[in-house]
Amino acid sequence: MSAFALQGVRITDFCWLWAGAYATSLLAFLGAEVIKIESLARVDPTRTMTLTMGSQTFEGIDQSPIFNGLNLNKLSVRLNLKQPQAIGLLRRIVQISDVVSENMRPGTLDRIGLGYDVLKDAKPDIIMLSSSAFGSEGPLRRYGGYAPSFACYSGLAHLTGYSDGLPSPMTGSVDLMSATTSAFAIMAALNHRQHTGQGQHIDLSSVESLAVFTGDALMEYIMNGKVQTRNGNHDRIMAPHNCYRCKGDDKWVSIAISTDAEWRAFCDAAGHPEWASDERFSDAYERWKNREELDRLVGDWTINHTHYEVTEILQKAGVAAMPSLSNEEILSDPHFKARNLAAEVEHPTLGKQLVLGPPWRLSETPARVTRSAPMIGEHNEYVLGELLGISLKEIARLIDAEIIY
Amino acid sequence: MAIMAEQCLGHLKVLELGNFVTGPYCTKLLADLGAEVIKIEAPGVGDDSRRKGPFLEDTPHPEMSGLFLYLNTNKLGITLDVTTETGKRILKELIKQTDIFVEDNPPAVMEQHGLAYGDLKEINSRLVMTSITPFGQTGPYRDYKAYELNCHHAGGEGYLLPTMSPDLSREPVKAGGLVGDSICGLSAAIATLAAAYSRYATGLGQHIDVSKQDVLMTMVGLEVVVMFANMEVVRTRLKHPALMPTPMKCQDGHIMVSTLTDREWRDFARSIGKPSLAEDERFSQWASRHLHGDEITPHIEEFIAQYSKEELFHRFQDRAVAAAPVNTAKDLAESPQMEARGFFGEIDHPKAGNLKYPTAPYKFSRTPWRAERAAPLLGQHNGFVYCERLGYDKRDLVTMAETGII
């Protein structure tokens, strides 16, 4: 196997929940050694989410498919943050780390002696990422949030949904987008440190990590004082630009047309060349103005075909179309299979698990799934024994004293 | 004179052959952190986002699109027709001076013009090249065409939205804003910087193949993983038992409340004056709260309806319960939190003037976000790049412009 891009990078990871955990998992796909700091006194809630799937019920801290999907490739060590001796051990782990990441409420780590200022003394070039709902300064710094809160406060939910329906806070994807932002920020700081030898602290707001995705809406308000609102699948200039019902139960295809050439190709491919000469649709402006009528006509055509048939017919003609895929359909999609996005890992208690790997293909240093998420404390001996040089006897004492807990 | 702040990525030279949102957003992230980004646009036409609004004062003009201005901050801009032989030669000269090349063109087009990674690594073995396309460089859909709408639905999130649809005969919808394209540019930037990091040790570049569909599928990965574990197809548009699954209507808008932990639920119950709910067995655990959600959500909604979103926001957050108002762009622009964080920063642009822009969601203690320059005018830096960097004569530029090369 070839080397990893982040070979030799070690991360002390206090992150938990979705937005925290996935950030460092992305870097672990690239080869960083991520040591997740856990404790029975502070169990990641995604470890204990009881889930019934079909006839199987997953219970207990080492049986969560959700936790597994979010913490791939990581190691786990158990240290009780309420014990002063554990804090000392953590500082030693930080001393042999390149990055520290955390997403507790702002100030929590400072209070127990693991804030950036302290860790910087322990390791002068340490990079530390603190991610929180609203960031660590400002009047809302102590306020918390989950994915739906980020989507709502950021303005994203207001822009998602039907024009006559409720705002939609999207799905858990919102957390993973915040996580992706964290991974990018850490990656930038690592490049900077490599070049200058300097570490730094990064203070990230999950709300803002979503707000930057609404740049056009923010600019529209700043420039013209106009407030955009949700409008289903519609575009501000393109039409057709929607999902259309197809043959089958709750099956849909997305079609988007930008140019006159695409429009003519669409009409021919759909077997309705007469639409191309219909003056209601003669150019982009007319099509946009008459989009409701257009949507009706397109829908009357798609309903007679499956979503894959429509896709094939239109793609052959150079028109953008794709099914609106369910998770079930994704798994059987030939392109999904060809791209090998899914990987199988052996989980100690769950058995063979299919998971999604990294979304990039690096030609020389491939990112990949190397192992399942860790059992809680699975790597106590490796981290405390091998890395810190603590004897097995002393480790046993630390367990008895509930420092390793 | 102020001392120039140290730049996070000041050591990296980036070349962008991108269009609209995805590629440009990827390099914007690098430029905003100090990388020197040279953006290549088609002569006379420029990036498609120049022709899409919002426009300043609703006056369509290629230099006054808020979309373009936002996505191209801190970049240098040149014009070059890379489909001409001279254009290709010049591009390759630039590639020799480039650390990172980001492009989002159809794979077949790059191959046709001899600009695939295999061609470019011959002239710069240290090059990191990132290609971001709807379906990646391999697989049966490689050459399919897709706009953001299609990618978002191909990625699996569209099918899930809107959650708790009022009417299942209505279409699934894409996420709002520029989410579908931006997240792909952001994700690609991680792998790009990882490759740059690795290159420092090995001296070797590489090609990064990013499929937007792959990125978007990983974003809904949890729902997909649930499927792996033999659960039925996830259809969140269907009405299903759930506790407060959507934003709730209050006096002046909507508020969202999420209670994940048992502690949060108990504190929430107390904060709406229903402490008995905190003790109720049916709601004692996460899974059972949702199973019985329909029994209680209507009562909660009655309570919520009496107050303003601001009142509710602080009432719940004071008890450490995750709540948030549904904000508009206006709310965000006026948010004291955004103000305190300096989320909006001013940049002066020769045509659009002095405007506020959303900056970045992260604060680097040593290398802050910079507003060194506004988005480039079309071909604004032709002189600098072609003459100073590549050594062309001013007269060459005139001829190249007249022949449509630049």
mmCIF file of all heavy atoms in Angstrom, chain A residues 319-347:
data_model
loop_
_atom_site.group_PDB
_atom_site.id
_atom_site.type_symbol
_atom_site.label_atom_id
_atom_site.label_comp_id
_atom_site.label_asym_id
_atom_site.label_seq_id
_atom_site.Cartn_x
_atom_site.Cartn_y
_atom_site.Cartn_z
ATOM 1 N N VAL A 319 -28.365 16.549 -22.463
ATOM 2 C CA VAL A 319 -29.206 17.350 -21.562
ATOM 3 C C VAL A 319 -29.024 16.827 -20.134
ATOM 4 O O VAL A 319 -29.013 15.614 -19.895
ATOM 5 C CB VAL A 319 -30.694 17.255 -21.970
ATOM 6 C CG1 VAL A 319 -31.588 17.953 -20.955
ATOM 7 C CG2 VAL A 319 -30.888 17.842 -23.361
ATOM 8 N N ALA A 320 -28.868 17.754 -19.186
ATOM 9 C CA ALA A 320 -28.598 17.384 -17.799
ATOM 10 C C ALA A 320 -29.838 16.790 -17.141
ATOM 11 O O ALA A 320 -30.854 17.470 -16.988
ATOM 12 C CB ALA A 320 -28.120 18.607 -17.011
ATOM 13 N N ALA A 321 -29.741 15.526 -16.760
ATOM 14 C CA ALA A 321 -30.841 14.846 -16.069
ATOM 15 C C ALA A 321 -30.254 13.777 -15.166
ATOM 16 O O ALA A 321 -29.269 13.136 -15.522
ATOM 17 C CB ALA A 321 -31.775 14.197 -17.084
ATOM 18 N N MET A 322 -30.829 13.629 -13.999
ATOM 19 C CA MET A 322 -30.439 12.546 -13.077
ATOM 20 C C MET A 322 -31.629 12.199 -12.197
ATOM 21 O O MET A 322 -32.406 13.077 -11.831
ATOM 22 C CB MET A 322 -29.292 13.005 -12.165
ATOM 23 C CG MET A 322 -27.892 12.740 -12.691
ATOM 24 S SD MET A 322 -27.540 11.014 -13.144
ATOM 25 C CE MET A 322 -27.301 10.246 -11.545
ATOM 26 N N PRO A 323 -31.780 10.911 -11.847
ATOM 27 C CA PRO A 323 -32.841 10.556 -10.910
ATOM 28 C C PRO A 323 -32.611 11.230 -9.563
ATOM 29 O O PRO A 323 -31.470 11.514 -9.199
ATOM 30 C CB PRO A 323 -32.697 9.042 -10.752
ATOM 31 C CG PRO A 323 -31.856 8.575 -11.889
ATOM 32 C CD PRO A 323 -30.980 9.738 -12.258
ATOM 33 N N SER A 324 -33.695 11.494 -8.842
ATOM 34 C CA SER A 324 -33.586 11.866 -7.440
ATOM 35 C C SER A 324 -33.492 10.544 -6.692
ATOM 36 O O SER A 324 -34.480 9.838 -6.525
ATOM 37 C CB SER A 324 -34.827 12.657 -7.011
ATOM 38 O OG SER A 324 -34.664 13.132 -5.696
ATOM 39 N N LEU A 325 -32.271 10.177 -6.308
ATOM 40 C CA LEU A 325 -32.019 8.822 -5.813
ATOM 41 C C LEU A 325 -32.317 8.685 -4.324
ATOM 42 O O LEU A 325 -31.946 9.541 -3.526
ATOM 43 C CB LEU A 325 -30.556 8.438 -6.064
ATOM 44 C CG LEU A 325 -30.119 8.283 -7.528
ATOM 45 C CD1 LEU A 325 -28.596 8.130 -7.615
ATOM 46 C CD2 LEU A 325 -30.813 7.097 -8.188
ATOM 47 N N SER A 326 -32.949 7.582 -3.975
ATOM 48 C CA SER A 326 -33.114 7.239 -2.557
ATOM 49 C C SER A 326 -31.838 6.527 -2.109
ATOM 50 O O SER A 326 -31.024 6.107 -2.934
ATOM 51 C CB SER A 326 -34.306 6.302 -2.371
ATOM 52 O OG SER A 326 -33.997 5.033 -2.920
ATOM 53 N N ASN A 327 -31.685 6.377 -0.805
ATOM 54 C CA ASN A 327 -30.486 5.678 -0.314
ATOM 55 C C ASN A 327 -30.443 4.252 -0.841
ATOM 56 O O ASN A 327 -29.389 3.714 -1.151
ATOM 57 C CB ASN A 327 -30.409 5.734 1.216
ATOM 58 C CG ASN A 327 -31.636 5.169 1.882
ATOM 59 O OD1 ASN A 327 -32.628 4.867 1.224
ATOM 60 N ND2 ASN A 327 -31.581 5.016 3.189
ATOM 61 N N GLU A 328 -31.604 3.642 -0.980
ATOM 62 C CA GLU A 328 -31.670 2.269 -1.490
ATOM 63 C C GLU A 328 -31.176 2.213 -2.939
ATOM 64 O O GLU A 328 -30.409 1.328 -3.322
ATOM 65 C CB GLU A 328 -33.120 1.790 -1.411
ATOM 66 C CG GLU A 328 -33.338 0.359 -1.811
ATOM 67 C CD GLU A 328 -34.825 0.011 -1.813
ATOM 68 O OE1 GLU A 328 -35.625 0.843 -2.299
ATOM 69 O OE2 GLU A 328 -35.168 -1.067 -1.330
ATOM 70 N N GLU A 329 -31.609 3.189 -3.731
ATOM 71 C CA GLU A 329 -31.209 3.202 -5.137
ATOM 72 C C GLU A 329 -29.729 3.512 -5.299
ATOM 73 O O GLU A 329 -29.080 3.006 -6.205
ATOM 74 C CB GLU A 329 -32.048 4.230 -5.908
ATOM 75 C CG GLU A 329 -33.495 3.810 -6.066
ATOM 76 C CD GLU A 329 -34.352 4.932 -6.623
ATOM 77 O OE1 GLU A 329 -34.219 6.080 -6.156
ATOM 78 O OE2 GLU A 329 -35.170 4.654 -7.507
ATOM 79 N N ILE A 330 -29.199 4.362 -4.424
ATOM 80 C CA ILE A 330 -27.774 4.680 -4.490
ATOM 81 C C ILE A 330 -26.952 3.401 -4.382
ATOM 82 O O ILE A 330 -26.020 3.173 -5.145
ATOM 83 C CB ILE A 330 -27.378 5.680 -3.374
ATOM 84 C CG1 ILE A 330 -27.855 7.085 -3.758
ATOM 85 C CG2 ILE A 330 -25.863 5.674 -3.137
ATOM 86 C CD1 ILE A 330 -27.664 8.123 -2.673
ATOM 87 N N LEU A 331 -27.346 2.549 -3.451
ATOM 88 C CA LEU A 331 -26.553 1.341 -3.210
ATOM 89 C C LEU A 331 -26.529 0.399 -4.397
ATOM 90 O O LEU A 331 -25.592 -0.376 -4.559
ATOM 91 C CB LEU A 331 -27.080 0.611 -1.972
ATOM 92 C CG LEU A 331 -26.895 1.368 -0.666
ATOM 93 C CD1 LEU A 331 -27.357 0.532 0.504
ATOM 94 C CD2 LEU A 331 -25.445 1.779 -0.479
ATOM 95 N N SER A 332 -27.555 0.439 -5.228
ATOM 96 C CA SER A 332 -27.550 -0.462 -6.384
ATOM 97 C C SER A 332 -27.190 0.271 -7.676
ATOM 98 O O SER A 332 -27.211 -0.323 -8.756
ATOM 99 C CB SER A 332 -28.908 -1.163 -6.507
ATOM 100 O OG SER A 332 -29.935 -0.198 -6.494
ATOM 101 N N ASP A 333 -26.851 1.542 -7.577
ATOM 102 C CA ASP A 333 -26.540 2.309 -8.774
ATOM 103 C C ASP A 333 -25.186 1.880 -9.355
ATOM 104 O O ASP A 333 -24.202 1.776 -8.628
ATOM 105 C CB ASP A 333 -26.501 3.808 -8.420
ATOM 106 C CG ASP A 333 -26.311 4.672 -9.645
ATOM 107 O OD1 ASP A 333 -27.316 5.005 -10.289
ATOM 108 O OD2 ASP A 333 -25.145 4.978 -9.979
ATOM 109 N N PRO A 334 -25.138 1.620 -10.666
ATOM 110 C CA PRO A 334 -23.886 1.121 -11.262
ATOM 111 C C PRO A 334 -22.714 2.093 -11.126
ATOM 112 O O PRO A 334 -21.574 1.671 -10.954
ATOM 113 C CB PRO A 334 -24.245 0.903 -12.739
ATOM 114 C CG PRO A 334 -25.564 1.532 -12.958
ATOM 115 C CD PRO A 334 -26.242 1.680 -11.620
ATOM 116 N N HIS A 335 -22.994 3.377 -11.180
ATOM 117 C CA HIS A 335 -21.903 4.346 -11.054
ATOM 118 C C HIS A 335 -21.359 4.363 -9.619
ATOM 119 O O HIS A 335 -20.149 4.401 -9.396
ATOM 120 C CB HIS A 335 -22.387 5.739 -11.456
ATOM 121 C CG HIS A 335 -21.289 6.743 -11.582
ATOM 122 N ND1 HIS A 335 -20.397 6.743 -12.627
ATOM 123 C CD2 HIS A 335 -20.918 7.772 -10.775
ATOM 124 C CE1 HIS A 335 -19.529 7.728 -12.467
ATOM 125 N NE2 HIS A 335 -19.825 8.369 -11.345
ATOM 126 N N PHE A 336 -22.256 4.316 -8.670
ATOM 127 C CA PHE A 336 -21.856 4.258 -7.253
ATOM 128 C C PHE A 336 -20.944 3.053 -7.032
ATOM 129 O O PHE A 336 -19.896 3.154 -6.381
ATOM 130 C CB PHE A 336 -23.097 4.160 -6.371
ATOM 131 C CG PHE A 336 -22.805 3.934 -4.906
ATOM 132 C CD1 PHE A 336 -22.436 4.992 -4.093
ATOM 133 C CD2 PHE A 336 -22.901 2.664 -4.354
ATOM 134 C CE1 PHE A 336 -22.172 4.789 -2.744
ATOM 135 C CE2 PHE A 336 -22.630 2.451 -3.008
ATOM 136 C CZ PHE A 336 -22.268 3.515 -2.204
ATOM 137 N N LYS A 337 -21.343 1.930 -7.612
ATOM 138 C CA LYS A 337 -20.531 0.714 -7.433
ATOM 139 C C LYS A 337 -19.171 0.871 -8.103
ATOM 140 O O LYS A 337 -18.145 0.501 -7.539
ATOM 141 C CB LYS A 337 -21.264 -0.496 -8.015
ATOM 142 C CG LYS A 337 -22.448 -0.922 -7.169
ATOM 143 C CD LYS A 337 -23.108 -2.156 -7.774
ATOM 144 C CE LYS A 337 -24.270 -2.613 -6.929
ATOM 145 N NZ LYS A 337 -25.082 -3.617 -7.630
ATOM 146 N N ALA A 338 -19.173 1.459 -9.304
ATOM 147 C CA ALA A 338 -17.913 1.596 -10.047
ATOM 148 C C ALA A 338 -16.935 2.533 -9.336
ATOM 149 O O ALA A 338 -15.723 2.385 -9.452
ATOM 150 C CB ALA A 338 -18.197 2.113 -11.453
ATOM 151 N N ARG A 339 -17.454 3.505 -8.600
ATOM 152 C CA ARG A 339 -16.584 4.477 -7.924
ATOM 153 C C ARG A 339 -16.037 3.964 -6.590
ATOM 154 O O ARG A 339 -15.191 4.605 -5.979
ATOM 155 C CB ARG A 339 -17.342 5.798 -7.673
ATOM 156 C CG ARG A 339 -17.786 6.530 -8.920
ATOM 157 C CD ARG A 339 -16.675 7.318 -9.578
ATOM 158 N NE ARG A 339 -16.139 8.374 -8.727
ATOM 159 C CZ ARG A 339 -15.055 9.079 -9.031
ATOM 160 N NH1 ARG A 339 -14.398 8.826 -10.150
ATOM 161 N NH2 ARG A 339 -14.618 10.012 -8.229
ATOM 162 N N ASN A 340 -16.549 2.801 -6.130
ATOM 163 C CA ASN A 340 -16.043 2.225 -4.871
ATOM 164 C C ASN A 340 -16.083 3.189 -3.690
ATOM 165 O O ASN A 340 -15.135 3.245 -2.901
ATOM 166 C CB ASN A 340 -14.600 1.750 -5.049
ATOM 167 C CG ASN A 340 -14.530 0.493 -5.875
ATOM 168 O OD1 ASN A 340 -15.366 -0.407 -5.700
ATOM 169 N ND2 ASN A 340 -13.592 0.434 -6.798
ATOM 170 N N LEU A 341 -17.148 3.924 -3.592
ATOM 171 C CA LEU A 341 -17.249 4.855 -2.462
ATOM 172 C C LEU A 341 -17.510 4.100 -1.152
ATOM 173 O O LEU A 341 -17.137 4.551 -0.079
ATOM 174 C CB LEU A 341 -18.367 5.874 -2.725
ATOM 175 C CG LEU A 341 -18.517 7.005 -1.717
ATOM 176 C CD1 LEU A 341 -17.270 7.881 -1.692
ATOM 177 C CD2 LEU A 341 -19.736 7.866 -2.041
ATOM 178 N N ALA A 342 -18.157 2.956 -1.280
ATOM 179 C CA ALA A 342 -18.449 2.164 -0.079
ATOM 180 C C ALA A 342 -17.285 1.229 0.229
ATOM 181 O O ALA A 342 -16.584 0.781 -0.674
ATOM 182 C CB ALA A 342 -19.725 1.359 -0.281
ATOM 183 N N ALA A 343 -17.080 0.991 1.499
ATOM 184 C CA ALA A 343 -16.037 0.051 1.921
ATOM 185 C C ALA A 343 -16.635 -0.868 2.981
ATOM 186 O O ALA A 343 -17.587 -0.493 3.670
ATOM 187 C CB ALA A 343 -14.842 0.811 2.499
ATOM 188 N N GLU A 344 -16.053 -2.045 3.096
ATOM 189 C CA GLU A 344 -16.527 -2.954 4.132
ATOM 190 C C GLU A 344 -15.493 -3.013 5.242
ATOM 191 O O GLU A 344 -14.304 -3.163 4.970
ATOM 192 C CB GLU A 344 -16.721 -4.348 3.529
ATOM 193 C CG GLU A 344 -17.574 -5.246 4.390
ATOM 194 C CD GLU A 344 -17.874 -6.561 3.690
ATOM 195 O OE1 GLU A 344 -16.921 -7.321 3.442
ATOM 196 O OE2 GLU A 344 -19.041 -6.812 3.381
ATOM 197 N N VAL A 345 -15.930 -2.823 6.466
ATOM 198 C CA VAL A 345 -15.002 -2.953 7.595
ATOM 199 C C VAL A 345 -15.539 -3.992 8.569
ATOM 200 O O VAL A 345 -16.746 -4.194 8.698
ATOM 201 C CB VAL A 345 -14.795 -1.623 8.374
ATOM 202 C CG1 VAL A 345 -13.994 -0.628 7.554
ATOM 203 C CG2 VAL A 345 -16.102 -1.033 8.830
ATOM 204 N N GLU A 346 -14.603 -4.620 9.260
ATOM 205 C CA GLU A 346 -14.967 -5.607 10.276
ATOM 206 C C GLU A 346 -15.064 -4.865 11.606
ATOM 207 O O GLU A 346 -14.084 -4.294 12.080
ATOM 208 C CB GLU A 346 -13.880 -6.694 10.324
ATOM 209 C CG GLU A 346 -14.183 -7.854 11.243
ATOM 210 C CD GLU A 346 -15.325 -8.731 10.747
ATOM 211 O OE1 GLU A 346 -15.460 -8.900 9.514
ATOM 212 O OE2 GLU A 346 -16.102 -9.236 11.586
ATOM 213 N N HIS A 347 -16.246 -4.844 12.171
ATOM 214 C CA HIS A 347 -16.431 -4.182 13.462
ATOM 215 C C HIS A 347 -16.479 -5.255 14.551
ATOM 216 O O HIS A 347 -17.148 -6.272 14.379
ATOM 217 C CB HIS A 347 -17.729 -3.368 13.432
ATOM 218 C CG HIS A 347 -17.946 -2.526 14.646
ATOM 219 N ND1 HIS A 347 -18.434 -3.037 15.814
ATOM 220 C CD2 HIS A 347 -17.731 -1.206 14.872
ATOM 221 C CE1 HIS A 347 -18.523 -2.064 16.711
ATOM 222 N NE2 HIS A 347 -18.094 -0.939 16.163
#
